[in-house]
Amino acid sequence: MIPSIPQPRGLRMAYTAYIVLFFVYLALPLAVVAVFAFNDSQFPSLPWEGFTWNWFFGEDRPMIGVFHERPILRAIGTSAFVGFCVAVLSVAVGTTNAFLFNRYQFRGRGLLYVLMLLPLVIPGIVLGISILVFSSTVANELWDAVEYDAEILRPGLALVILGQFSFITTIATLVISARLQKFDQSLEEAALNLGADRLTAVRTITIPFLMPAIIGAVVVAFLMSFENFNTTLMLVGSDAPLTIAMFDRLKEGSTPLLNAVSLLLMVGSSLLALVMIAFQRKA
Amino acid sequence: MRAQARLGFILLLTPLLLWLSLLILIPHVDMALLSLRERVGVGEYAVSFANYGTFFGEPLYMRTFLRTATMSVLATLITLIIAFPVAYYIAKIAKGRTQSALFLLCLVPFWVSELVRTFGWMILLRETGVFSNLLQWTGLATGPVEMLYNDAAIMVGLVYTSMLFMVVPLVTTLESLDDAVIEAGYDLGGSGFSVLREIIIPHAMPGIVSGSIVVFMLSLGNYLTPTMLGGKDSLWFTELIYSQFIVRFNWELGAAFGFMLLILSSFIVWATLRLTGQTLERTMG
């Protein structure tokens, strides 16, 4: 079924209808979340009680808006901090990995490449508990050996960052590798011929070429970290990132406050996506 | 120069090895060791398969395990069946701006967190929700209808959450199929169905495999969707792992559960790759 082959009218229309239905299905849950953020009621459900901005800017109980709700604001800050650390770490390691696999032929390269892909096929929750188990083993050994309590190895932000880093690095590696493969190595050789040393050649020629992929990987890593739930759930301590904080609230019963937070998230990530697309276009 | 290249190699190799060994390999070995540990007294442990014995001996655990596996396979199949015509439309029928717009639209829902998506389905499906009210308004139902907290709701959530990971690889592989090949199929007397079966699907196989693997993994390892949309009877295996680790503090049994989940997912990924003659490097890399 392609445009150049005529098909019965009915079939074509049924197909188009299916596609329309599919996009309605995709949009529906997000649309209702957004709409109910403005419902002047204690519950994010019908009946519609009228339009209000209170779930964003409200200052008094029972309608405290997002911008006056301290725990939520703190959770957003925590998530942003974690996302930033994960993005920087995973893109740094992703870049070195990409260079390693692109430039060097060595024994065990194939095996290492498969190992590098593995985090993608390990369930997030298993990744979380294995890191939790290992870090407590190390912390307990440390305590037994030198009576030093390694607070950093107990559930908390450090472990959350490591846990997310462990699989986001694979994605960063793949994104950056894909662009590095398109790079024409003779450009780097030309720089070497013109008297640059290796590091200068990479810094002035290769890295600028990779920049779109690096920026893309940073954005993707940040968003994946911001959204991550499974791995974070197992490693979280007292400072909960946003997804965990929202999950705890949702379990207790939801108010349109959560819709308002969700709407802000949607707007935020759409903006990030647009920035990324604009950047990719320019490159 | 040789020495310099060697130094560069070592500098690039170190982060990779540190990452893979400290965060992937050793933790999993440690988890496997923990799962083989049995508490025999206060602070005394012995190596045994007791935790796995508990897993296989307790019908609830085994049933939940198998149920999670079958439902994940089912979710993967449903996602594939829904996504394939959409991916085909985007790759082969839509042209130019429409094509890229539709593709972008497919990605949009996945820029927001899974929690928000699940929350959206809760608002739609719950007793006081949008669908229930719609049904009453049209007169199809006389009272509020509860559509949340059952297996169908879980399925809807799982399929929705993983849709992107099926659509994107399918679009990519279908785009690389030359229209002329499809036309040739028709010219040689093939019907729409035989062209689909003998040309389009074989060509799309790498995309189908990588999409299915990712969707299966995401469903199997999902915690949020079954917890929020599922009812009292629809326990998911990840919930058992969570409760052993965080609620009961029985890490040994939890580690055994985690390892069973890992074995199951690795086995299914391996079997899928094997049956379709693909490799992990080709489908993921």
Side-chain angles (χ1 to χ4, degrees):
Chain A
M1 191 189 234
I2 46 174
S4 56
I5 307 255
Q7 292 288 342
R9 213 178 125 79
L11 193 64
R12 260 195 355 248
M13 275 168 60
Y15 198 6
T16 314
Y18 175 79
I19 301 298
V20 172
L21 214 65
F22 175 79
F23 282 101
V24 170
Y25 160 78
L26 274 195
L28 207 55
L30 301 182
V32 291
V33 168
V35 168
F36 282 107
F38 300 102
N39 192 7
D40 196 357
S41 142
Q42 280 298 307
F43 307 100
S45 57
L46 292 169
W48 183 257
E49 305 274 6
F51 183 89
T52 178
W53 279 104
N54 276 352
W55 293 112
F56 292 89
F57 304 107
E59 282 179 50
D60 325 287
R61 288 187 175 281
M63 288 173 109
I64 298 180
V66 186
F67 296 111
H68 296 281
E69 179 76 11
R70 284 276 168 72
I72 290 286
L73 290 179
R74 202 176 314 124
I76 293 178
T78 309
S79 277
F81 171 73
V82 170
F84 176 77
C85 295
V86 170
V88 169
L89 277 175
S90 60
V91 169
V93 177
T95 311
T96 59
N97 288 349
F99 271 99
L100 180 74
F101 287 117
N102 185 259
R103 297 295 167 83
Y104 292 92
Q105 294 296 330
F106 50 96
R107 239 189 315 152
R109 181 178 180 274
L111 177 70
L112 275 183
Y113 193 75
V114 172
L115 280 179
M116 186 275 289
L117 292 175
L118 268 193
L120 288 187
V121 288
I122 299 174
I125 204 159
V126 174
L127 218 49
I129 56 173
S130 69
I131 291 174
L132 177 66
V133 166
F134 179 53
S135 65
S136 347
T137 309
V138 174
N140 292 342
E141 292 294 327
L142 267 180
W143 178 252
D144 289 344
V146 290
E147 301 254 317
Y148 170 70
D149 188 17
E151 196 58 47
I152 200 160
L153 292 172
R154 303 292 179 192
L157 287 189
L159 283 193
V160 170
I161 292 171
L162 284 180
Q164 296 182 351
F165 164 79
S166 70
F167 73 95
I168 294 179
T169 303
T170 301
I171 291 151
T173 307
L174 291 178
V175 171
I176 298 168
S177 289
R179 183 143 175 108
L180 191 57
Q181 266 163 21
K182 290 192 201 130
F183 178 70
D184 182 1
Q185 282 216 33
S186 57
L187 291 176
E188 217 173 86
E189 281 156 21
L192 292 177
N193 284 340
L194 291 169
D197 59 71
R198 245 191 192 292
L199 219 55
T200 316
V202 168
R203 210 188 61 225
T204 54
I205 309 288
T206 322
I207 297 288
F209 174 83
L210 283 183
M211 234 6 169
I214 291 179
I215 302 279
V218 166
V219 173
V220 168
F222 181 83
L223 278 175
M224 287 192 79
S225 156
F226 212 93
E227 288 183 11
N228 183 268
F229 183 81
N230 287 345
T231 310
T232 311
L233 180 72
M234 304 308 298
L235 296 171
V236 75
S238 50
D239 292 324
L242 187 62
T243 42
I244 304 289
M246 283 175 73
F247 176 68
D248 289 338
R249 296 224 172 180
L250 205 51
K251 272 193 302 195
E252 291 162 12
S254 43
T255 67
L257 175 76
L258 291 179
N259 295 62
V261 181
S262 306
L263 183 58
L264 291 179
L265 280 184
M266 286 186 224
V267 173
S269 42
S270 318
L271 286 179
L272 259 182
L274 283 180
V275 167
M276 195 173 97
I277 290 167
F279 202 87
Q280 238 94 17
R281 279 264 165 80
K282 226 173 63 190
Chain B
M1 199 60 208
R2 283 290 300 158
Q4 203 192 348
R6 203 165 166 75
L7 179 69
F9 174 66
I10 290 170
L11 281 179
L12 291 177
L13 189 63
T14 315
L16 177 80
L17 288 183
L18 281 178
W19 161 49
L20 288 178
S21 57
L22 288 180
L23 290 176
I24 309 292
L25 295 178
I26 301 177
H28 282 90
V29 171
D30 198 32
M31 185 179 83
L33 291 178
L34 183 70
S35 75
L36 291 174
R37 210 170 71 163
E38 188 196 2
R39 208 183 134 121
V40 285
V42 180
E44 276 180 69
Y45 298 95
V47 174
S48 85
F49 282 94
N51 295 311
Y52 292 95
T54 313
F55 171 76
F56 286 108
E58 169 67 51
L60 172 74
Y61 299 156
M62 204 57 203
R63 212 168 44 229
T64 309
F65 186 69
L66 294 177
R67 220 179 70 91
T68 307
T70 39
M71 279 187 69
S72 301
V73 171
L74 193 62
T76 311
L77 285 178
I78 296 177
T79 314
L80 177 62
I81 291 168
I82 295 180
F84 197 88
V86 177
Y88 188 81
Y89 191 92
I90 294 175
K92 287 274 147 240
I93 297 183
K95 295 275 172 262
R97 289 185 80 90
T98 331
Q99 186 179 28
S100 35
L102 286 183
F103 190 65
L104 268 183
L105 271 180
C106 275
L107 303 187
V108 168
F110 304 93
W111 287 94
V112 293
S113 122
E114 188 189 346
L115 191 92
V116 177
R117 287 175 251 152
T118 312
F119 184 37
W121 281 110
M122 289 174 75
I123 297 176
L124 286 170
L125 296 176
R126 70 166 57 139
E127 212 174 345
T128 52
V130 176
F131 286 161
S132 169
N133 274 288
L134 202 66
L135 284 178
Q136 290 174 67
W137 182 71
T138 53
L140 285 172
T142 44
V145 192
E146 179 66 278
M147 281 176 265
L148 211 54
Y149 313 123
N150 56 47
D151 287 358
I154 296 185
M155 211 44 110
V156 168
L158 287 179
V159 169
Y160 185 83
T161 294
S162 15
M163 194 50 80
L164 160 89
F165 302 95
M166 191 63 97
V167 171
V168 171
L170 283 179
V171 170
T172 321
T173 46
L174 284 172
E175 262 183 335
S176 68
L177 175 62
D178 194 343
D179 280 3
V181 180
I182 303 177
E183 279 164 19
Y186 279 104
D187 287 346
L188 292 170
S191 63
F193 179 70
S194 64
V195 168
L196 178 70
R197 207 191 51 190
E198 287 173 37
I199 298 176
I200 301 172
I201 291 185
H203 183 87
M205 215 48 188
I208 294 177
V209 172
S210 66
S212 300
I213 287 179
V214 174
V215 171
F216 176 77
M217 296 296 312
L218 287 177
S219 306
L220 193 67
N222 204 313
Y223 177 83
L224 199 60
T225 306
T227 323
M228 303 312 294
L229 303 180
K232 287 264 174 288
D233 304 320
S234 31
L235 201 58
W236 208 251
F237 197 65
T238 46
E239 294 175 56
L240 288 184
I241 299 181
Y242 180 81
S243 73
Q244 291 302 334
F245 262 89
I246 310 293
V247 186
R248 306 258 182 93
F249 220 69
N250 186 349
W251 283 25
E252 286 82 5
L253 190 57
F257 285 179
F259 215 70
M260 289 310 297
L261 189 70
L262 191 63
I263 289 172
L264 173 69
S265 67
S266 316
F267 171 74
I268 298 225
V269 170
W270 176 81
T272 315
L273 290 172
R274 207 58 208 274
L275 282 176
T276 53
Q278 306 285 329
T279 62
L280 194 63
E281 294 95 308
R282 267 182 49 207
T283 48
M284 299 286 161

